[in-house]
């Protein structure tokens, strides 16, 4: 029997309990016959002020992610999507490989991560010099730079917003993000990447690409694009950037 609504694919999505952006973002980008089913990682202490705060937040994610995967498996998804991004960059390329292996070992399913989705998108556009905006503390930015550097990209500039709590990431205004994009739109920058799935950038990135005349890759759009294309779903989605509209 085929699922009445997810007759093409059911995606199991893992996200922190504090995240209020990635779920509506995925819903706004959905296509007929594809459904997203969320497993939440319980975040008990959402303070992420300073490097130590961010490390504590990631410790909680590591402790809870297995249980979140096991819960979402009960709906029998076809594919896993990470609705969280920091951990997918942590430890560079090797860290991402271990993370994907961990999720696959738990679920037996293929996995879309924000880090790999951004890599695919940048390679598709032939970009090499990039600017990056994140909601992270400096330790998070260091891991993002490490990942992109290890796969051959030159991070010309990075703007970390240093959000004090996990929930406050979703409070970052469009005005603040516009300012960050202006800072990163430097001579020789081929593309701008936004990390942090609780940072609302999908709609703004779509508009900014037209204004800046270069790819602006919102991580939620890139991750959803990777999930769809990995599953042979070529539907175009409008209002979420060039990747989903053209690729």
């Amino acid at each position: 029997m085929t699922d009445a609504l997810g007759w093409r694919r059911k995606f199991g999505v893992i996200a922190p309990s504090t995240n209020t952006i990635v779920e509506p973002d995925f819903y706004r980008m959905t296509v007929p016959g594809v459904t997203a089913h969320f497993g939440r990682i319980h975040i008990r202490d959402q303070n992420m002020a300073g490097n130590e705060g961010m490390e504590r937040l990631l410790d909680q994610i590591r402790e809870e992610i297995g249980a979140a995967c096991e819960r979402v498996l009960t709906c029998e998804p076809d594919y896993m999507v990470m609705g969280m991004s920091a951990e997918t960059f942590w430890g560079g390329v090797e860290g991402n490989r271990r993370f994907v292996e961990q999720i696959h070992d738990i679920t037996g399913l293929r996995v879309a991560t924000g880090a790999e989705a951004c890599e695919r998108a940048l390679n598709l556009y032939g970009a090499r010099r990039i600017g990056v905006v994140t909601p992270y503390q400096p330790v998070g930015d260091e891991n993002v730079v490490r990942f992109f550097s290890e796969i051959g990209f030159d991070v010309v500039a990075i703007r970390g917003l240093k959000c004090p709590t996990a929930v406050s990431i979703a409070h970052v205004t469009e005005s603040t993000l516009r300012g960050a994009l202006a800072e990163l739109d430097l001579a020789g920058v081929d593309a701008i990447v936004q990390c942090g799935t609780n940072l609302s950038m999908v709609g703004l990135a779509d508009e900014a690409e037209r204004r800046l005349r270069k790819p602006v890759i919102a991580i939620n759009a890139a991750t959803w694009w990777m999930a769809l294309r990995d599953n042979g779903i070529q539907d175009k989605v409008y209002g979420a950037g060039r990747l989903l509209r053209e690729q």
Side-chain angles (χ1 to χ4, degrees):
M1 298 295 291
T2 303
D3 191 272
L5 296 180
W7 48 271
R8 294 166 86 184
R9 286 294 187 274
K10 292 186 293 187
F11 293 159
V13 184
I14 301 301
S17 58
T18 49
N19 191 309
T20 59
I21 299 298
V22 69
E23 189 167 7
D25 267 0
F26 283 178
Y27 289 156
R28 74 186 281 187
M29 296 183 290
T30 196
V31 299
V34 177
T35 52
H37 309 280
F38 276 69
R40 292 285 183 167
I41 300 167
H42 189 183
I43 303 299
R44 294 174 172 82
D45 176 8
Q46 62 158 303
N47 176 17
M48 55 178 278
N51 289 341
E52 291 183 359
M54 187 161 190
E55 292 276 13
R56 283 195 303 271
L57 187 73
L58 287 169
D59 285 342
Q60 294 175 77
I61 288 172
R62 291 162 189 151
E63 290 172 4
E64 294 280 343
I65 196 166
C69 288
E70 289 170 0
R71 282 191 293 271
V72 83
L73 280 178
T74 61
C75 77
E76 300 181 357
D78 304 296
Y79 184 90
M80 294 297 295
V81 182
M82 290 300 107
M84 44 174 275
S85 65
E87 182 70 351
T88 74
F89 290 100
W90 221 260
V93 171
E94 179 60 22
N96 178 266
R97 186 197 63 76
R98 289 196 304 268
F99 178 81
V100 170
E101 190 174 81
Q102 175 194 4
I103 303 304
H104 181 267
D105 286 349
I106 295 169
T107 65
L109 300 172
R110 291 181 299 158
V111 185
T113 71
E116 185 177 350
C118 289
E119 177 186 6
R120 290 189 188 186
L122 290 168
N123 283 329
L124 186 67
Y125 290 128
R128 280 295 169 262
R129 290 168 54 82
I130 64 173
V132 182
V133 58
T134 85
Y136 305 147
Q137 300 295 334
V139 67
D141 292 346
E142 290 167 10
N143 278 274
V144 169
V145 171
R146 176 181 173 182
F147 175 83
F148 283 122
S149 297
E150 288 181 357
I151 57 175
F153 297 100
D154 179 10
V155 181
V156 176
I158 187 163
R159 175 73 163 89
L161 299 175
K162 300 182 179 67
C163 293
T165 69
V167 167
S168 71
I169 297 170
H171 302 167
V172 175
T173 65
E174 185 174 293
S175 175
T176 296
L177 291 171
R178 285 182 181 276
L181 291 175
E183 288 180 32
L184 297 169
D185 185 29
L186 303 170
V189 168
D190 303 317
I192 297 173
V193 177
Q194 170 258 318
C195 302
T197 62
N198 205 25
L199 201 57
S200 182
M201 268 283 289
V202 168
L204 177 57
D206 181 61
E207 178 270 326
E209 285 186 317
R210 295 176 171 87
R211 178 167 46 85
L212 301 179
R213 298 183 179 181
K214 64 183 61 175
V216 179
I217 300 167
I219 201 159
N220 288 347
T223 307
W224 190 251
W225 166 79
M226 176 179 171
L228 291 176
R229 303 306 185 249
D230 266 5
N231 285 275
I233 297 168
Q234 300 298 323
D235 299 46
K236 297 181 185 301
V237 177
Y238 295 89
R242 290 173 57 191
L243 271 176
L244 283 159
R245 185 175 67 248
E246 299 176 2
Q247 304 299 331

